[in-house]
Amino acid sequence: GIQVEQSPPDLILQEGANSTLRCNFSDSVNNLQWFHQNPWGQLINLFYIPSGTKQNGRLSATTVATERYSLLYISSSQTTDSGVYFCAVIPSGNTPLVFGKGTRLSVIA
Amino acid sequence: DAGVIQSPRHEVTEMGQEVTLRCKPISGHNSLFWYRQTMMRGLELLIYFNNNVPIDDSGMPEDRFSAKMPNASFSTLKIQPSEPRDSAVYFCASSFGPPSNTEAFFGQGTRLTVV
């Protein structure tokens, strides 16, 4: 099946710093979503981005489907950004989301 | 909309007992998914329903697990008998339409502990 690799696995940032999280996938995809799992365990939708670029406040994402990767940018990070960021893809066909292992982000004041 | 609603939020049970997890998808959504999250295996799909019909149950670990969707607004995941290795967070998610071209939304999860 499709492989979804996220990097880095762990990231520690000082408050106010910027970061880029990467998601590589091994095959073509129909759909890609980014999620934030907060310290309470909730999975929060960030972006639905099968291709192109989207922005939402301090967060933005870019997916280059032809090159099989997606990037999540976090600018001016805040302590509330801490948690695990997951990339999930839907391979060609009609199968449900396949998740990567996540990037654990810790933002310190 | 209240989002995907799962109950209970936490469940502690003894090995061998039956456990039933419940999910109410977002109104109007016709695809429903059950996922399990563990430290070792991450987030993995257990089963996927479309229009109340199970489409893919290849992720269900074994016969002790069963899932039903009797109507468009309710689904259950049952474990009988439960074992300590079933301890995990179980998520339900729903989407409007087939997974390939719609966004999925997750419930808050049920944290199951089997002692």
Side-chain angles (χ1 to χ4, degrees):
Chain A
I2 194 168
Q3 303 298 310
V4 182
E5 295 184 359
Q6 293 188 241
S7 60
D10 297 280
L11 185 59
I12 300 175
L13 294 177
Q14 200 76 34
E15 198 171 27
N18 303 329
S19 63
T20 301
L21 282 56
R22 188 176 181 100
C23 172
N24 291 335
F25 38 95
S26 60
D27 207 344
S28 57
V29 300
N30 287 337
N31 186 354
L32 188 145
Q33 290 187 238
W34 282 97
F35 296 89
H36 174 215
Q37 187 166 38
N38 64 20
W40 295 270
Q42 290 179 278
L43 279 166
I44 299 166
N45 289 41
L46 296 178
F47 294 101
Y48 168 67
I49 185 166
S51 63
T53 297
K54 291 187 178 180
Q55 179 154 7
N56 185 2
R58 296 180 296 103
L59 273 58
S60 63
T62 295
T63 297
V64 184
T66 53
E67 297 186 21
R68 300 181 184 172
Y69 74 89
S70 184
L71 302 174
L72 178 68
Y73 306 96
I74 305 175
S75 64
S76 304
S77 57
Q78 301 175 356
T79 55
T80 52
D81 295 332
S82 295
V84 183
Y85 289 80
F86 288 102
C87 168
V89 303
I90 290 184
S92 298
N94 208 23
T95 56
L97 287 167
V98 176
F99 280 80
K101 294 187 182 303
T103 292
R104 182 173 298 277
L105 174 65
S106 300
V107 181
I108 54 178
Chain B
D1 197 316
V4 177
I5 299 173
Q6 293 186 244
S7 64
R9 292 291 310 281
H10 303 273
E11 177 81 37
V12 180
T13 191
E14 291 186 347
M15 183 173 61
Q17 296 298 305
E18 177 179 294
V19 175
T20 299
L21 312 182
R22 295 171 175 82
C23 175
K24 176 179 168 56
I26 294 172
S27 177
H29 282 193
N30 60 356
S31 290
L32 184 140
F33 316 89
W34 284 99
Y35 282 83
R36 178 171 67 176
Q37 185 177 31
T38 61
M39 290 293 293
M40 292 294 292
R41 300 175 67 90
L43 276 153
E44 53 182 349
L45 177 74
L46 298 178
I47 188 168
Y48 153 47
F49 291 89
N50 184 251
N51 292 325
N52 312 338
V53 176
I55 303 299
D56 180 359
D57 66 353
S58 59
M60 296 286 264
E62 49 197 91
D63 291 346
R64 298 184 298 106
F65 285 68
S66 62
K68 294 182 179 180
M69 192 164 186
N71 56 62
S73 59
F74 184 65
S75 177
T76 59
L77 178 68
K78 186 176 294 187
I79 308 173
Q80 166 64 18
S82 56
E83 296 182 3
R85 59 190 168 127
D86 301 330
S87 298
V89 179
Y90 291 81
F91 286 100
C92 177
S94 71
S95 67
F96 177 69
S100 60
N101 55 11
T102 58
E103 187 174 4
F105 296 86
F106 282 72
Q108 293 185 305
T110 295
R111 182 174 296 277
L112 173 65
T113 303
V114 183
V115 297

